[in-house]
Amino acid sequence: MHNFLGAIEAGGTKFVCAIGTDDGKILQRIRIKTSTPEVTMPEVIGFFREHMHNYPLKAIGCGSFGPIDPDINSKTYGHITHTPKLPWRDYNIVKTLEDALQIPVAFDTDVNAAALGEHRWGAGKGISDLIYLTVGTGVGGGAIVNNQLVHGSAHPEMGHIYIPVDLTQDDFTGICPYHERCLEGLASGPALKARWQVDSALDLADNHIAWELEAEYLSYALVNYMMCFVPKRIILGGGVMKQTHLFEKIHTKVKAKINGYLNQDYCDSIPSIIVPPALADNAGIMGALALASTAAGATLAKNPLEVE
């Protein structure tokens, strides 16, 4: 018999809320506009309350936009912290949900949740070491090493690494207010719009120079991740990566930048290492469901160490 679980993908523009089972089946789903906590959270809580009579939830998983504090030992655990979305800054989303619904809430970043979803049910199924990178409104990443999500004193910020820029090819200063020419500042969807003065990156033709530069910046980042983690899979999601012609460009540039340093079998496997998500736009909500299943297992087990 499967447990009923709640899942929340808390995004900058919308919250996706769902009820499902620990085998990955979605039973109910709703989208709610991201406004202020005072407007959005009652709708989120109302959705779960409406369905809890038919689906007695064991736990909820929440993958949230950030930055967040996922350290359970921290005094600000469960908070969305110094987000540029000012109404949500320092908001304790975990306590709000737990107080209202009286069930455990597992909490992590939206990209970590997506990584977990792809690891459990998608392109990373059966893969012990992987990276999930989303390239869209922002750039963010989650890493799984030896089947465990990577956390340090905070969550990884893979979109804010510095990468080389040839100023003779691209003198764009970047859009990141903290770092300017970091990966997010150069390769996110808003960066493409600002760099090329278009309403949407979709307006750029497949042969536009923008995509060569995009593949160049992403390939630098991926090679850096490869040298640090040597992942068995790198999953590239987000709206920008729906330009599927980017993958071949990235494969070629990554192999050239590795320049034979990693073993030949690994280099030859790059097209099967760097792949799109199998869960498409569902990676985040499925990952939140996977987070919830972990929380439910921990509460049901006699001893947390018994949970696999």
Side-chain angles (χ1 to χ4, degrees):
M1 182 176 178
H2 294 291
N3 293 318
F4 294 117
L5 304 167
I8 301 171
E9 183 184 7
T13 58
K14 68 181 183 299
F15 275 52
V16 179
C17 302
I19 291 172
T21 54
D22 49 16
D23 63 345
K25 184 177 181 181
I26 299 291
L27 304 171
Q28 300 285 341
R29 183 198 300 244
I30 191 173
R31 292 186 177 196
I32 297 166
K33 182 181 178 182
T34 303
S35 179
T36 64
E38 293 75 18
V39 173
T40 301
M41 291 308 296
E43 291 189 56
V44 171
I45 291 164
F47 167 78
F48 290 111
R49 282 180 172 162
E50 177 187 352
H51 293 291
M52 284 178 75
H53 296 296
N54 293 326
Y55 307 108
L57 301 180
K58 297 293 185 183
I60 289 177
C62 178
S64 175
F65 67 90
I68 68 166
D69 186 349
D71 181 358
I72 200 165
N73 297 312
S74 168
K75 65 181 181 181
T76 56
Y77 167 71
H79 287 65
I80 299 170
T81 57
H82 51 286
T83 173
K85 299 183 75 65
L86 296 180
W88 293 87
R89 183 167 289 187
D90 301 320
Y91 181 72
N92 193 338
I93 190 170
V94 169
K95 187 176 188 300
T96 300
L97 291 166
E98 288 184 338
D99 287 352
L101 300 171
Q102 295 296 299
I103 54 175
V105 175
F107 185 55
D108 216 319
T109 65
D110 47 2
V111 286
N112 271 358
L116 192 59
E118 288 288 337
H119 179 252
R120 183 74 63 90
W121 292 296
K125 187 175 181 180
I127 304 292
S128 60
D129 300 81
L130 64 85
I131 287 171
Y132 178 93
L133 192 75
T134 183
V135 187
T137 304
V139 179
I144 291 177
V145 175
N146 196 23
N147 295 306
Q148 297 292 319
L149 278 168
V150 171
H151 295 95
S153 58
H155 52 81
E157 289 284 5
M158 294 187 184
H160 290 273
I161 64 170
Y162 289 102
I163 53 176
V165 178
D166 182 349
L167 296 179
T168 66
Q169 297 294 316
D170 187 9
D171 61 358
F172 180 54
T173 56
I175 64 163
C176 177
Y178 294 95
H179 313 120
E180 293 189 338
R181 291 189 179 99
C182 64
L183 181 64
E184 180 172 290
L186 291 169
S188 64
L192 286 166
K193 290 166 62 176
R195 171 68 177 83
W196 303 106
Q197 296 295 296
V198 291
D199 292 331
S200 167
L202 298 176
D203 295 337
L204 299 168
D206 288 359
N207 62 353
H208 195 286
I209 186 61
W211 301 120
E212 284 297 324
L213 286 170
E214 183 75 4
E216 184 76 359
Y217 297 147
L218 290 172
S219 66
Y220 269 121
L222 299 190
V223 170
N224 284 332
Y225 305 148
M226 286 171 149
M227 294 302 175
C228 292
F229 299 104
V230 200
K232 298 172 183 175
R233 186 139 300 157
I234 298 176
I235 302 164
L236 301 181
V240 171
M241 293 312 303
K242 290 181 179 179
Q243 305 293 310
T244 55
H245 58 88
L246 272 172
F247 280 91
E248 185 175 354
K249 292 181 174 67
I250 290 169
H251 295 158
T252 301
K253 290 176 182 292
V254 164
K255 190 169 184 178
K257 287 178 174 61
I258 291 174
N259 198 29
Y261 185 74
L262 300 175
N263 72 66
Q264 192 61 47
D265 286 345
Y266 190 82
C267 292
D268 290 343
S269 300
I270 283 169
S272 61
I273 292 173
I274 302 170
V275 300
L279 300 178
D281 293 336
N282 288 316
I285 197 66
M286 295 296 288
L289 201 63
L291 280 173
S293 72
T294 303
T299 60
L300 295 172
K302 294 179 181 178
N303 184 320
L305 296 179
E306 296 176 8
V307 181
E308 294 182 359

